Amino acid sequence: MFSISQVISSALLALSTFLDVILAKKSSIPSIDTEPMAQRKNAEKLLEVDHLARRIYVNHKYFQDYAKSKSSQIRCATYQTLRAFAQNLPAVFRENDLTTVAGIVLGSFSEKDPSCYIALWDMILLVSKEYPEVWDTTSVHKFVLPRFWAFLRHMTHGSAKVSYPCILPLLSFISANSVKPATEFFSELFLSLWAGYKGGNMGVEDEIIFLKTIQECFSWTIKNSERFSLSLSLFFSFTLKPQTPKCL
């Protein structure tokens, strides 16, 4: 017997796979009026898939209930499904409530199951790259960033190997207007990273990944300080207690 969680997660994964297979290499739905007769049926089928997928997306309210499920299996499948929609049906995000979508996608930093983080980061990075405006919504400062800082302070909930390498790409997708005041944003970023390092019990391998991440993020922030109107004095303001890395 299959559990309800297995049935729902399997249905979501089937949907995401279907979208990837059918729509992955399609940049736009071809026009039925301009297509040769031999390709007319394919164009009609693609339009039917497009309309059906949009209806599913809206009728299920952007899958927000599944994203909040108590089952990590369902949440993980939801992240994969949202990534598939963002990748294959880009217009569906902008045509609907982007603030709600931002809350669902970016708000997923509250996830605590390490097994979900590959799917989670695939979703977040793709959405942040293709729809940078999600970081301009009201939900970002209201609860997305507090969840992100807590995620870092808790040492990424055991997902160091997956999560730390994704932080720098995430920074590169965020616009300067989205992180105002920038000084406060970057101060909180590095202090939260360091708090997770000090408060956790990292293995040597995870610690090497963490130190590389914080070094790369620090260098990137300095190089982009003009873009974010950051004073270089910011980089001398951190009072981090010296700590000898275990990997040395």
Side-chain angles (χ1 to χ4, degrees):
M1 293 290 292
F2 293 103
S3 66
I4 294 178
S5 296
Q6 288 175 313
V7 172
I8 294 175
S9 61
S10 295
L12 289 169
L13 291 174
L15 176 59
S16 64
T17 301
F18 178 76
L19 293 176
D20 285 336
V21 171
I22 301 299
L23 303 176
K25 297 182 180 181
K26 175 190 65 62
S27 58
S28 62
I29 301 281
S31 171
I32 293 178
D33 297 330
T34 60
E35 284 296 300
M37 204 55 133
Q39 299 179 15
R40 190 180 183 89
K41 287 188 177 180
N42 286 338
E44 290 175 347
K45 289 180 180 178
L46 285 174
L47 280 171
E48 186 177 353
V49 169
D50 179 87
H51 294 322
L52 178 60
R54 289 167 185 258
R55 198 177 310 125
I56 291 173
Y57 180 79
V58 174
N59 288 347
H60 284 275
K61 298 179 180 178
Y62 328 127
F63 306 103
Q64 58 182 314
D65 289 340
Y66 294 144
K68 299 175 184 176
S69 172
K70 293 181 179 180
S71 167
S72 61
Q73 192 175 15
I74 292 176
R75 295 195 305 273
C76 188
T78 302
Y79 303 149
Q80 294 184 58
T81 302
L82 287 170
R83 188 274 311 154
F85 270 94
Q87 183 172 323
N88 301 303
L89 289 168
V92 78
F93 269 43
R94 293 196 175 98
E95 289 174 355
N96 294 284
D97 186 352
L98 196 59
T99 298
T100 301
V101 172
I104 298 169
V105 173
L106 303 181
S108 61
F109 281 117
S110 59
E111 177 63 62
K112 293 180 175 62
D113 190 330
S115 67
C116 292
Y117 273 97
I118 292 178
L120 181 148
W121 276 110
D122 283 346
M123 171 188 68
I124 288 177
L125 291 180
L126 178 70
V127 170
S128 297
K129 179 182 178 181
E130 300 297 329
Y131 315 91
E133 60 268 34
V134 297
W135 285 93
D136 296 329
T137 57
T138 55
S139 59
V140 169
H141 287 281
K142 188 175 181 180
F143 64 86
V144 170
L145 287 180
R147 290 183 184 182
F148 184 48
W149 305 143
F151 164 72
L152 297 179
R153 288 194 297 271
H154 287 85
M155 208 173 62
T156 69
H157 297 300
S159 66
K161 293 179 180 64
V162 174
S163 294
Y164 283 134
C166 293
I167 295 174
L168 181 58
L170 178 64
L171 291 180
S172 69
F173 297 144
I174 300 176
S175 71
N177 290 331
S178 303
V179 296
K180 291 182 177 178
T183 299
E184 180 180 322
F185 174 87
F186 285 101
S187 294
E188 190 63 43
L189 171 69
F190 291 112
L191 290 173
S192 296
L193 278 167
W194 193 253
Y197 176 63
K198 288 202 305 177
N201 184 24
M202 286 188 185
V204 173
E205 189 176 353
D206 288 352
E207 187 171 17
I208 292 173
I209 295 172
F210 166 81
L211 293 174
K212 180 181 179 182
T213 295
I214 201 167
Q215 178 186 19
E216 290 177 343
C217 289
F218 205 78
S219 298
W220 183 90
T221 306
I222 292 175
K223 291 177 182 177
N224 289 272
S225 59
E226 186 174 344
R227 168 186 164 191
F228 292 96
S229 301
L230 292 172
S231 169
L232 289 179
S233 61
L234 166 70
F235 305 103
F236 299 97
S237 65
F238 300 114
T239 55
L240 305 179
K241 184 179 179 181
Q243 182 169 331
T244 302
K246 295 185 287 292
C247 59
L248 297 181

